[in-house]
Amino acid sequence: MSGSVPPGSGAGGPSDGGGPDAGHEDGALAELGYKPELKRTLGNFHTFAAGISYISILTGTFQLFYFGVSHGGPAYWWSWPMVFAGQLMVALCFCELACRYPVAGSIYNWAKQLGGPHVGWLGGWMMLTASMVSLAAVALAYQVTLPQISSWFQFVGDGTGKTDAAANAVLLGAVLIAFTTLVNAFGVKLMARINSAGVAIELVAAVVLILLLAAHVTRGPATALTDTFGKGQGQSLGYLGAFLTASLASAYVMYGFDTASSLGEESKDPARNAPRAILRALVASFLIGGLILLFALLAVPDLHDERLSVDGLQYVVLATLGSTVGQAVLWCVVIAITVCELAVHTAAIRLAFAMARDNNLPASGQLARVSPRFQTPVVPAIVIGLVGIVILLINVDQPQIFSVITSIAIIMIYLAYLMVTLPMLVQRLRGNWSVPKGSFSLGRFGLPVNVLAVLWGLAMSINLAWPRAAVYNATGPQHWYLRWGAFLFIGVVALGGFAYYWFVQRHRTGVLASHAAENTGSGDAAAPAP
């Protein structure tokens, strides 16, 4: 791979607010074929906050703790460090790329540079589809928390009707998506302020929650972390099978750290800050989330209470800390859900903008347009918000199908990550991968880390997609198309999307003239790495 463009050599000059290194970052954009258009206003904490709010420990743990315990018992906790170790390998690879290519829509652009335009388009398409589904899935978390704070938030019926909860979830979720759409449309600075404030509250609340749970410990780790609830008995794989199912509760949480790099074109000194933000977001999430889960298991009054497997952490907090303190914590969870939704929406917008800038989406000219007033892509914010609300509507009458789709969306994100780490490994083996001197580098550990990242991505994708009834057909009549939903849905999205690209879009692909760097000429696509 070619060396870095010297500072100041990019077309268009430093963008506003870029600081002393803006010329270098704009040079990196010029190397990809783009001129700088987005305003550099985000600092180190902003990029860190974007990564950690996407992972959103309070959102993920409160949404999925019940699933882990119900399928693997308290011993499922060990899946948390397992998933962290695997995702750390991926994150380390991303750190090298974030330093080399600090660009919007990072997954798409990295896959394109490493694997060529076809791999890049498919990786971006998978990530964009998954992001829009994730936007709807995160919005549903309001229903899990708000009605437990007060019945006033159950606007549809009293919650006992067959579709009361699902319909109310759609209503609350639609309000949340409308909010994130407006915030993102009004510019990255407003988004960053709200996101950073929300993350600060979430981090403080998480630490306070850990301390409060630690003060109510009633048993030791040796008791809690070895209790399997007898899961896996009579199964061919024994407890391993149950553990692999329960591990999805951790795998569903610990991703999205690449968001810190997807804001690279709006960050100050992203080549230095983005790798740090990626690692800090992942490590902080691992430590804080792991301690919350641990002390929840040690502090819950009755480890075998069935409510632990039904209501999850919400039950633990209310039963252990009492109604007043418990509700205060749940309000912090609501804030965490809000900033998580904001981060998911923001990342999806940058991805759509990046693909549209290469004329790789329908109506690319509109999707890639940067508002001169708000200096942000407004049209993608609105379109993605509307798609998220439409996807939410599926949940009203078909919650089982919706749960299948949301599970599949997470698999698609893991697959999109693979479309970066696998081509990166190929480039390493060919001797084509290098990083500029002084940049973040794994050195001689790069190859083994990259190999582990690919193996982890393949193994977890298979584990996530395995046709388990517990995941893909948990309630109601058993249907083969639900059990095999991951393979069917992903197959349709991938093959259908790629067919569209191959027969229609690839003939149009190329950086739009209005976005091209002056030295590349209009309509020339950025060349992939060798």
Side-chain angles (χ1 to χ4, degrees), residues 31 149 161 179 181 193 201 230 286 343 375 445-446 491:
E31 182 186 355
I149 295 175
F179 170 75
T181 300
R193 286 174 176 170
I201 293 171
F286 163 68
Q375 295 184 302
F445 297 105

Side-chain angles (χ1 to χ4, degrees), residues 162-527:
K162 185 178 179 181
T163 61
D164 284 1
N168 199 67
V170 170
L171 177 61
L172 295 175
V175 171
L176 177 56
I177 292 176
F179 170 75
T180 60
T181 300
L182 286 172
V183 171
N184 273 298
F186 277 105
V188 71
K189 206 165 186 178
L190 175 62
M191 181 281 299
R193 286 174 176 170
I194 295 174
N195 192 57
S196 296
V199 166
I201 293 171
E202 180 178 3
L203 291 175
V204 170
V207 172
V208 170
L209 176 59
I210 290 169
L211 295 175
L212 289 173
L213 291 173
H216 290 79
V217 166
T218 60
R219 65 188 62 82
T223 300
L225 301 187
T226 57
D227 193 339
T228 65
F229 282 1
K231 301 294 182 180
Q233 291 182 0
Q235 297 181 16
S236 57
L237 294 178
Y239 183 68
L240 176 61
F243 179 79
L244 289 175
T245 301
S247 70
L248 304 190
S250 299
Y252 282 3
V253 177
M254 223 176 295
Y255 67 92
F257 39 82
D258 57 290
T259 306
S261 59
S262 201
L263 293 170
E265 293 183 42
E266 297 154 276
S267 305
K268 300 173 184 176
D269 196 9
R272 182 181 303 158
N273 289 335
R276 294 176 181 176
I278 289 171
L279 289 180
R280 287 172 180 169
L282 183 61
V283 171
S285 298
F286 163 68
L287 292 174
I288 294 171
L291 290 174
I292 289 175
L293 297 174
L294 173 63
F295 285 116
L297 292 169
L298 302 185
V300 63
D302 182 0
L303 193 60
H304 290 266
D305 193 309
E306 65 178 16
R307 286 175 290 181
L308 194 66
S309 300
V310 176
D311 297 326
L313 273 180
Q314 286 86 342
Y315 157 69
V316 176
V317 167
L318 293 173
T320 305
L321 306 180
S323 177
T324 302
V325 176
Q327 287 199 4
V329 171
L330 293 184
W331 273 116
C332 292
V333 172
V334 172
I335 293 173
I337 294 168
T338 304
V339 294
C340 177
E341 183 81 345
L342 191 58
V344 172
H345 202 157
T346 301
I349 292 166
R350 271 60 192 172
L351 179 57
F353 167 76
M355 294 184 71
R357 181 168 55 182
D358 280 351
N359 201 24
N360 264 335
L361 291 175
S364 286
Q366 293 300 315
L367 290 172
R369 184 175 179 271
V370 177
S371 166
R373 179 180 179 184
F374 301 114
Q375 295 184 302
T376 192
V378 174
V379 175
I382 297 171
V383 171
I384 291 170
L386 290 174
V387 172
I389 292 174
V390 170
I391 295 172
L392 265 183
L393 294 174
I394 298 173
N395 192 63
V396 175
D397 295 319
Q398 301 291 340
Q400 177 68 30
I401 293 177
F402 184 86
S403 67
V404 171
I405 293 175
T406 53
S407 298
I408 291 166
I410 297 168
I411 304 171
M412 292 170 66
I413 291 175
Y414 276 77
L415 290 174
Y417 285 2
L418 260 176
M419 291 182 193
V420 173
T421 56
L422 185 55
M424 187 180 193
L425 178 58
V426 172
Q427 297 295 342
R428 286 187 193 276
L429 293 174
R430 290 177 176 174
N432 292 335
W433 176 252
S434 64
V435 293
K437 188 176 180 180
S439 301
F440 182 95
S441 174
L442 297 175
R444 68 178 186 272
F445 297 105
L447 181 59
V449 166
N450 204 159
V451 169
L452 289 173
V454 171
L455 292 176
W456 164 256
L458 288 170
M460 187 48 70
S461 296
I462 293 171
N463 185 38
L464 287 164
W466 202 256
R468 301 178 176 93
V471 177
Y472 295 108
N473 207 160
T475 60
Q478 297 296 300
H479 300 289
W480 69 270
Y481 54 84
L482 290 178
R483 290 281 292 271
W484 291 91
F487 295 93
L488 293 172
F489 187 88
I490 293 173
V492 169
V493 170
L495 294 177
F498 196 75
Y500 163 77
Y501 171 77
W502 185 261
F503 292 108
V504 179
Q505 203 64 48
R506 74 185 178 101
H507 303 294
R508 307 171 182 172
T509 294
V511 181
L512 294 173
S514 56
H515 299 270
E518 292 176 5
N519 60 346
T520 65
S522 64
D524 293 335

